[in-house]
Amino acid sequence: MLNDRVYIVTGGATGIGAGISAVLRRHGARVAAWHRDDCDVRDPAQVEAATERVVAEYGRLDGVVNNAALTGPVALSAFLTASPEHIEDMLATNLKGPIYCSQAFARRAVAAGQPGAIVHIASVGAFAAQEHASVYCATKAALVALTQAMALELAPHAIRVNAVAPGDILTPANANIVAEIKHAGASGRYLRSTPLGRRGSPEEIGEAVAFLLSDRSSFTTGSTLTVDGGLLTY
């Protein structure tokens, strides 16, 4: 499905990113799985340099998956006490990072006259508020809007832009998220249950991403695919 295509997956070494990277490789893609030690997505100069290294090493670049984000316990902060440092780090990582990485890829693709695909990893938090996660939810909602606007501008260049909004996905970073939310001071009254009765896996998010990168979704752009086990159905 993705034979010999090359993709950057930011935050691709752990959690959901590791699941995405593994699935893309199973579908035949070559993956540059970035960790913060490889490239700090908050720094546009680092992003440009790391993107250039990928092109030099693999000989091509077909798209990027913007997965790197502050999530789990580190993303929690009550709105009234969220510090300027917390707010800036959230915005820089969760929103500016995807913009910088998308620009680095898209500029090269447009210059070369080649098509491509970009997938942002958003969240159900873009559509449903979460206690002590106001800034996090705002960044993920912004990614949904960014997806639509980028899709509009990049469509003439045959670059498709979509997003995936995961629900409750089991990763090491959020294995005990309910307890951690309550420990952070949230009431816990607004926690939803997943109708399918289980937490999702990073690989299930990976399959959604693979579909959106592939030619099977060739007429899909500007969309956000919710992969949440039914979390937002009620």
Side-chain angles (χ1 to χ4, degrees), residues 12-103:
T14 58
I16 288 177
I20 294 170
S21 297
V23 170
L24 298 188
R25 290 186 179 109
R26 285 205 298 267
H27 285 296
R30 292 178 289 167
V31 177
W34 286 357
H35 189 268
R36 182 168 284 193
D37 292 341
D38 304 314
C39 173
D40 185 346
V41 299
R42 300 172 300 179
D43 183 345
Q46 286 194 42
V47 169
E48 284 291 332
T51 302
E52 195 58 39
R53 288 196 298 270
V54 170
V55 174
E57 179 178 351
Y58 293 95
R60 61 186 290 176
L61 182 58
D62 297 277
V64 60
V65 181
N66 289 305
N67 167 76
L70 294 179
T71 187
V74 298
L76 296 175
S77 178
F79 176 74
L80 290 177
T81 56
S83 68
E85 293 77 16
H86 173 79
I87 294 168
E88 176 55 33
D89 204 16
M90 292 290 293
L91 291 172
T93 306
N94 293 18
L95 181 56
K96 293 180 184 179
I99 292 172
Y100 297 147
C101 294
S102 296
Q103 286 179 325

Side-chain angles (χ1 to χ4, degrees), residues 10 18-19 32 34 56 60 84 90 108 134 156 195 209 223:
T10 68
W34 286 357
R60 61 186 290 176
M90 292 290 293
R108 286 167 172 79
S134 297
V209 171
S223 296

Side-chain angles (χ1 to χ4, degrees), residues 120-183:
H120 301 309
I121 304 303
S123 167
V124 290
F127 307 104
Q130 299 173 1
E131 272 192 293
H132 284 212
S134 297
V135 180
Y136 172 81
C137 290
T139 62
K140 294 302 184 176
L143 278 184
V144 172
L146 181 67
T147 296
Q148 294 175 307
M150 284 177 55
L152 191 65
E153 289 198 43
L154 295 178
H157 304 288
I159 298 174
R160 297 183 301 106
V161 186
N162 293 288
V164 173
D168 185 13
I169 307 300
L170 180 59
T171 69
N174 69 3
N176 301 303
I177 191 63
V178 172
E180 287 160 346
I181 288 173
K182 292 179 179 179
H183 181 73

